[in-house]
């Protein structure tokens, strides 16, 4: 029940270990040493790598992804523990809604599209782009549609 989300969906295993190593060094680092280290080009990109889905969407993994992307900080989601929040619409009953975000016909493909690029679908919407990968979006969509039936 820690309020801190886990990072397995945002960072690769190696990146997490690199951050752990960095945090170990940080307390003893001078500002000059920090700047010198930060000025160097990163050895790898931080953007999550899309893993190619070889099987159909996995709703159990989707539920885990929802908590790791912290979707419950803005939405109430059936089966996902979180605060009573009304920043975004309650996702219960999503499977019965005719439209997503009032614009896209509600179906699985459009839900994946929305989760990956809400700002492209509806420029200026209060839902931020969260860097969701194709696989994570498919798994989350599977969970959301199933849990809200
Ligand atoms: C910073 C708050 C915020 C976060 C974080 C957020 N959303 Fe949203 N979301 C919104 C808002 C606000 C809307 C309404 C957008 C609109 O209609 O323009 C929305 C709309 C939606 C919709 C359409 C709902 C409907 O009734 O049409 C879905 C589905 C959705 N979000 C899923 C997610 C998922 C899954 C995540 C995590 C990957 C997520 N959201 C993260 C704020 C957020």
């Amino acid at each position: 029940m820690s309020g801190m989300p886990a990072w397995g969906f945002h960072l690769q295993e190696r990146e997490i270990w690199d951050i752990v190593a960095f945090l170990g060094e940080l307390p003893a680092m001078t500002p000059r040493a920090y700047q010198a280290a930060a000025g160097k080009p990163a050895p790898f990109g931080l953007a999550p790598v899309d893993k190619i889905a070889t099987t159909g969407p996995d709703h159990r993994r989707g539920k885990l992804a929802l908590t790791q992307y912290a979707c419950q900080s803005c939405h109430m989601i059936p089966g996902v523990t979180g605060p009573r929040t009304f920043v975004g619409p309650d996702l219960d009953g999503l499977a019965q809604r005719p439209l997503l975000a009032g614009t896209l016909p509600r179906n699985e493909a459009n839900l994946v599209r929305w989760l990956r690029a809400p700002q492209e679908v509806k420029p200026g919407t209060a839902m931020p782009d969260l860097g969701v990968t194709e696989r994570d979006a498919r798994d989350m969509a599977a969970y959301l549609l199933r849990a809200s039936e």
Side-chain angles (χ1 to χ4, degrees):
M1 290 301 288
S2 166
M4 170 153 165
W7 293 90
F9 283 84
H10 294 282
L11 299 170
Q12 294 166 31
E13 182 77 10
R14 191 184 138 205
E15 293 168 336
I16 292 173
W17 281 105
D18 285 350
I19 292 168
V20 170
F22 174 71
L23 289 176
E25 297 290 315
L26 191 60
M29 227 179 196
T30 64
R32 185 186 289 254
Y34 176 86
Q35 257 168 6
K40 285 184 195 152
F44 47 81
L46 278 183
V49 175
D50 254 23
K51 297 164 203 131
I52 291 149
T54 47
T55 52
D58 177 346
H59 64 91
R60 283 189 205 87
R61 188 178 173 280
K63 184 179 181 184
L64 190 61
L66 287 164
T67 65
Q68 291 208 11
Y69 282 104
C71 310
Q72 77 281 12
S73 61
C74 292
H75 294 281
M76 291 203 278
I77 306 173
V80 174
T81 306
R84 261 175 77 72
T85 174
F86 300 94
V87 179
D90 187 343
L91 299 184
D92 199 7
L94 190 68
Q96 273 91 47
R97 239 159 277 180
L99 295 174
L100 295 170
T103 46
L104 288 177
R106 189 253 324 126
N107 58 43
E108 200 158 342
N110 278 341
L111 182 51
V112 169
R113 193 174 153 214
W114 172 258
L115 297 182
R116 295 207 67 196
Q119 295 298 323
E120 190 188 294
V121 174
K122 193 174 174 185
T125 176
M127 167 133 162
D129 281 346
L130 293 165
V132 174
T133 65
E134 176 82 26
R135 180 184 176 204
D136 297 348
R138 282 167 39 129
D139 290 350
M140 287 191 278
Y143 177 82
L144 288 173
L145 292 175
R146 191 185 152 107
S148 64
E149 264 171 9

